[in-house]
Amino acid sequence: MSTIDTTDIPETIRELGPARPQRADALRNYEKLIAAARDAFAQDGASASLEEIARRAEVGIGTLYRHFPNRQTLLEAVYIDELQALCASAATLSELPPWDALVAWLYRFVAYLATKRALAQELLNYLDGDAALFQSCRAGLYAAGEPLLQRAQEAEAVRADTNLTEIIQMVGGIAKIPGLEPEQVEHILEVALDGLRYRAPVGQP
Amino acid sequence: MSTIDTTDIPETIRELGPARPQRADALRNYEKLIAAARDAFAQDGASASLEEIARRAEVGIGTLYRHFPNRQTLLEAVYIDELQALCASAATLSELPPWDALVAWLYRFVAYLATKRALAQELLNYLDGDAALFQSCRAGLYAAGEPLLQRAQEAEAVRADTNLTEIIQMVGGIAKIPGLEPEQVEHILEVALDGLRYRAPVGQP
DNA sequence: ATAGTTCCGGAGGGAGCCTCCGCTTATGCC
DNA sequence: GGCATAAGCGGAGGCTCCCTCCGGAACTAT
């Protein structure tokens, strides 16, 4: 149904971020920094120490600041990277059985939300309404998830009377319940996802 | 209708905060600190520099830390102080005409919300569910506002088919619209509050 | 007035932010 | 391969902030 070419979405999103460096060594450092920042932000929230990030990336603090002139740029780059990874994973997962693929992707989505939550607050403070970014992100997300859902529905693994918007809202809502342990979230999610399963119509109650 | 004695609410709330010091000089400093902190947090958000706050209060940094061992304690104390002031103002305002009193109080409420927003995020990180505080706050708020609304309704200044919950939600919702200039908020609020006015029933259209 | 608390203030050590600039290294051209 | 040069590196240094600690000042009760 979707007319968007899923495979192109990640690049579209990536273009929203800061330009990646050209030289091989610079690119290496750039990527080490994003990886280190992702971990650090996930662990300590958006206020993680930039010097600590540089240290983890085994890179000088100067290098960090050259690639990302301020915390915001780095935050944004990490966010975009995460989102791209989430979108890209949809393609990989399509090798699994339909139901498993969808569920796996939704779990991946939950992990992504955790990162996003840490970043979003701070991100909004500065970005305040760079709608283009978030719109693109949303589009990419849907383009990535839609095929998975459709396949699952065609295989009668997922009930027909639902859609991706609804599912994402549900999963998002559960993931965002405040003050819950990860295991609790996972359990609730498990229950809720089970509700998505297709059940053959039954004659009598 | 309310069986709560409004005038006692502020004390009840205050008791939730850290104990105020006894000695005259200590109390003076305590209050200077809260005032300075209120300004600083309003200006720079919850991450305002504590040293700057001590400086503004013309007090040594050590004094700040003795009264408020950590940022949270100070944040909480400011929040409680603000809330108490809001509640107390209801009593003063009752000298105004009913409509004016209610509107003035609601504007005061908006100002309070601005502070609260700055504090709430950070506050929740640590407090995470000290429900007692927030419950008390809510009770105090309602006890303070209810008489004002009632008086206004009895004077036929405010329509009868509404209540404080609704009004507070409305005002709060408007105050929280993201990315608006204060003047814009004020204008929207003006319009919305006008909708509260009592209008005599009209026979023909 | 004096003793005994209570409170004050800021020095100091540690950490983070960010800038600046001399040195290193990759790349493209011969 | 060798070289020029542009691109990139990294960390010292100057600043601010956080928080602790303790000698001395100020208040209060007697």
Side-chain angles (χ1 to χ4, degrees):
Chain A
M1 207 101 316
S2 166
T3 59
I4 309 174
D5 179 352
T6 308
T7 53
D8 279 355
I9 286 292
E11 270 319 309
T12 309
I13 294 167
R14 174 142 293 173
E15 279 161 19
L16 290 170
R20 293 173 108 74
Q22 303 305 318
R23 243 175 69 168
D25 54 345
L27 187 59
R28 254 196 320 275
N29 282 335
Y30 182 96
E31 277 163 356
K32 282 202 286 185
L33 277 168
I34 290 215
R38 176 164 27 75
D39 296 353
F41 288 145
Q43 188 181 324
D44 304 332
S47 61
S49 154
L50 298 188
E51 296 204 320
E52 172 66 21
I53 290 174
R55 244 171 279 140
R56 286 200 208 190
E58 298 178 292
V59 139
I61 183 68
T63 300
L64 185 153
Y65 274 97
R66 194 164 349 85
H67 285 309
F68 309 100
N70 53 54
R71 179 178 236 93
Q72 244 38 52
T73 326
L74 180 55
L75 233 36
E76 217 173 297
V78 169
Y79 175 62
I80 289 171
D81 199 75
E82 279 284 273
L83 186 77
Q84 178 170 44
L86 175 63
C87 291
S89 77
T92 315
L93 291 171
S94 62
E95 290 167 13
L96 297 178
W99 170 261
D100 296 347
L102 180 65
V103 169
W105 188 72
L106 290 175
Y107 272 97
R108 188 98 183 45
F109 173 64
V110 170
Y112 151 81
L113 274 188
T115 307
K116 175 175 171 173
R117 277 220 344 251
L119 306 187
Q121 177 67 23
E122 194 80 359
L123 219 52
L124 284 174
N125 284 351
Y126 296 73
L127 211 65
D128 83 309
D130 183 349
L133 196 155
F134 284 109
Q135 237 169 283
S136 248
C137 291
R138 205 180 146 75
L141 205 58
Y142 277 70
E146 199 72 69
L148 291 176
L149 174 58
Q150 211 148 69
R151 201 163 66 98
Q153 282 179 324
E154 277 162 15
E156 295 200 328
V158 165
R159 54 198 296 166
D161 64 341
T162 189
N163 58 54
L164 191 59
T165 305
E166 209 172 74
I167 295 177
I168 281 186
Q169 280 168 349
M170 179 179 84
V171 174
I174 291 170
K176 284 183 204 147
I177 299 172
L180 248 51
E181 295 300 313
E183 308 87 62
Q184 296 178 287
V185 170
E186 185 161 350
H187 183 243
I188 296 177
L189 199 56
E190 199 180 296
V191 172
L193 287 183
D194 209 54
L196 285 180
R197 289 197 124 96
Y198 172 85
R199 301 208 200 288
V202 186
Q204 295 82 303
Chain B
M1 203 101 320
S2 165
T3 58
I4 309 172
D5 180 350
T6 308
T7 53
D8 279 354
I9 287 291
E11 269 320 311
T12 309
I13 294 168
R14 174 142 293 175
E15 279 162 18
L16 290 169
R20 294 173 106 73
Q22 304 304 317
R23 242 176 69 170
D25 54 345
L27 188 59
R28 255 196 318 275
N29 281 335
Y30 182 96
E31 278 164 356
K32 282 203 284 185
L33 277 168
I34 290 215
R38 176 164 26 76
D39 296 353
F41 288 145
Q43 188 181 322
D44 304 331
S47 61
S49 154
L50 297 188
E51 296 204 320
E52 172 65 22
I53 290 174
R55 245 172 278 141
R56 286 200 206 190
E58 298 177 294
V59 141
I61 184 67
T63 301
L64 185 152
Y65 275 96
R66 193 162 352 82
H67 285 309
F68 309 100
N70 54 52
R71 177 177 238 95
Q72 245 37 54
T73 326
L74 180 54
L75 233 35
E76 216 173 298
V78 169
Y79 175 63
I80 289 171
D81 199 75
E82 279 283 274
L83 185 78
Q84 178 170 46
L86 176 63
C87 291
S89 78
T92 315
L93 290 170
S94 63
E95 291 166 12
L96 296 177
W99 170 261
D100 297 346
L102 180 63
V103 169
W105 189 73
L106 290 175
Y107 272 95
R108 188 98 182 46
F109 174 63
V110 171
Y112 151 80
L113 274 188
T115 307
K116 175 175 170 174
R117 277 220 345 250
L119 306 188
Q121 178 67 23
E122 195 80 359
L123 218 52
L124 285 175
N125 285 350
Y126 297 74
L127 209 65
D128 85 309
D130 182 349
L133 195 157
F134 284 109
Q135 236 168 284
S136 246
C137 289
R138 204 179 146 76
L141 203 58
Y142 277 70
E146 199 72 69
L148 290 175
L149 174 59
Q150 211 147 70
R151 201 164 66 98
Q153 282 178 325
E154 277 162 15
E156 295 200 329
V158 164
R159 53 198 297 167
D161 64 341
T162 189
N163 58 54
L164 191 60
T165 305
E166 208 172 75
I167 295 177
I168 281 186
Q169 278 167 349
M170 181 179 83
V171 174
I174 291 171
K176 282 183 206 148
I177 299 174
L180 250 50
E181 295 299 314
E183 307 89 59
Q184 296 178 286
V185 171
E186 184 162 351
H187 182 243
I188 296 177
L189 199 56
E190 199 181 298
V191 171
L193 288 183
D194 208 55
L196 285 181
R197 289 199 126 96
Y198 172 85
R199 301 208 201 288
V202 186
Q204 296 81 305

